[in-house]
C-alpha cells in the first residue's frame, strides 16, 4: 500500500512490528497446540504425497492437500511462514503490475488495514458463542481499547490515508463491544449455547 500511496514512516514501522509480534504469537500458539494435540498426523502447507516422499514412508507422512477444515491448522511454524511468504510474493507481484491504478492501491490499503481492524472479531464471536468472557483479562481489553483509541486519534490528527481512520474507528468499536460483553456476561450470566463441534474447532489458535 505504501508504495502506491506514501504515508508516515511511524505507521510503516508500527505495521512491521505488528507483523513480527503476530508471527511470534503464532509460533507460541502452534507449539502449545501441537504439544497438547492427540492427533499426531503431520499436516503441512506444502509437502509431497507419501508415495513421492519414499515408497516406505510411514502412513502419517505429510500430505499436500488444501482441506479448508485444516487450513491454518498446520503442525509446524515453518508451514505458516511458507504460507505468509507465498502470499506476500503473490500479492507483491500483483501490486507491482497494478501500482499505477489508484483504485487498486486504495482497495489494497483498505483491505490491509481492515484485516488488522478485525483482529478482535474472533474473540468477540467466541465470547458470543460461549455466552461468557470467563478467563479473559479485562486489563488486556482495556489496553486494546486505549491503544486503538490513541492510534485512531493519531490517524485523524495527522491526516493519514482515510483507510487508517475508518478502520481505526472500527477497531475501537470492536473493543468497546468486547467490553460490553464483559459487563453483560458478568452481571447477567447466560446459559451457554450448545453447538456442534467442528473438526478444526479444537485446533483454533
Amino acid at each position: 500500500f505504501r508504495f502506491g500511496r506514501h504515508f508516515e514512516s511511524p505507521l510503516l514501522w508500527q505495521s512491521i512490528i505488528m507483523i513480527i509480534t503476530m508471527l511470534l504469537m503464532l509460533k507460541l500458539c502452534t507449539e502449545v497446540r501441537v504439544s497438547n494435540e492427540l492427533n499426531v498426523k503431520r499436516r503441512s502447507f506444502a509437502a509431497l504425497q507419501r508415495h513421492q516422499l519414499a515408497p516406505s514412508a510411514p502412513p502419517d507422512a505429510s500430505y499436500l492437500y488444501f482441506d479448508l477444515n485444516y487450513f491454518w491448522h498446520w503442525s509446524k511454524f515453518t508451514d505458516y511462514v511458507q504460507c505468509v511468504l507465498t502470499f506476500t510474493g503473490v500479492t507483491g507481484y500483483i501490486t507491482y503490475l497494478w501500482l499505477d491504478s489508484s483504485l487498486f492501491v486504495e482497495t489494497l490499503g483498505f483491505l490491509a488495514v481492515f484485516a488488522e481492524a478485525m483482529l478482535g472479531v474472533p474473540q468477540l464471536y467466541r465470547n458470543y458463542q460461549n455466552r461468557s468472557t470467563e478467563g479473559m483479562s479485562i486489563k488486556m481489553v482495556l489496553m486494546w481499547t486505549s491503544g486503538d483509541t490513541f492510534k485512531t486519534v493519531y490517524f485523524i490528527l495527522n491526516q493519514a490515508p482515510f483507510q487508517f481512520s475508518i478502520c481505526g474507528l472500527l477497531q475501537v468499536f470492536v473493543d468497546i463491544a468486547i467490553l460490553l460483553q464483559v459487563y453483560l456476561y458478568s452481571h447477567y450470566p447466560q446459559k451457554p449455547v450448545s453447538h456442534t463441534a467442528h473438526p478444526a474447532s479444537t485446533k483454533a489458535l
Side-chain angles (χ1 to χ4, degrees), residues 57-76:
D60 62 345
S62 299
Y63 287 84
L64 174 60
Y65 59 92
F66 295 95
D67 185 349
L68 292 180
N69 292 327
Y70 294 100
F71 181 81
W72 208 253
H73 297 292
W74 301 308
S75 304
K76 288 187 177 180

Side-chain angles (χ1 to χ4, degrees), residues 169-180:
L169 289 171
L170 178 60
Q171 199 164 10
V172 172
F173 289 147
V174 171
D175 294 339
I176 293 175
I178 294 177
L179 286 175
L180 289 176

Side-chain angles (χ1 to χ4, degrees), residues 1-7 95 98-114 160-167:
F1 178 40
R2 192 171 193 263
F3 291 106
R5 185 172 180 183
H6 188 83
F7 52 81
T95 302
W98 290 84
L99 199 57
D100 294 331
S101 171
S102 59
L103 177 61
F104 173 82
V105 171
E106 297 295 342
T107 303
L108 177 66
F110 174 77
L111 293 177
V113 185
F114 180 76
F162 74 94
Q163 292 94 335
F164 285 90
S165 300
I166 293 175
C167 293

Side-chain angles (χ1 to χ4, degrees), residues 34 37-43 60 75:
V34 172
E37 199 173 53
L38 297 178
N39 184 5
V40 296
K41 182 174 181 178
R42 170 87 162 89
R43 300 194 180 278
D60 62 345
S75 304

Side-chain angles (χ1 to χ4, degrees), residues 76-91:
K76 288 187 177 180
F77 175 66
T78 53
D79 295 311
Y80 295 95
V81 174
Q82 290 175 6
C83 181
V84 170
L85 291 178
T86 301
F87 174 81
T88 303
V90 172
T91 53

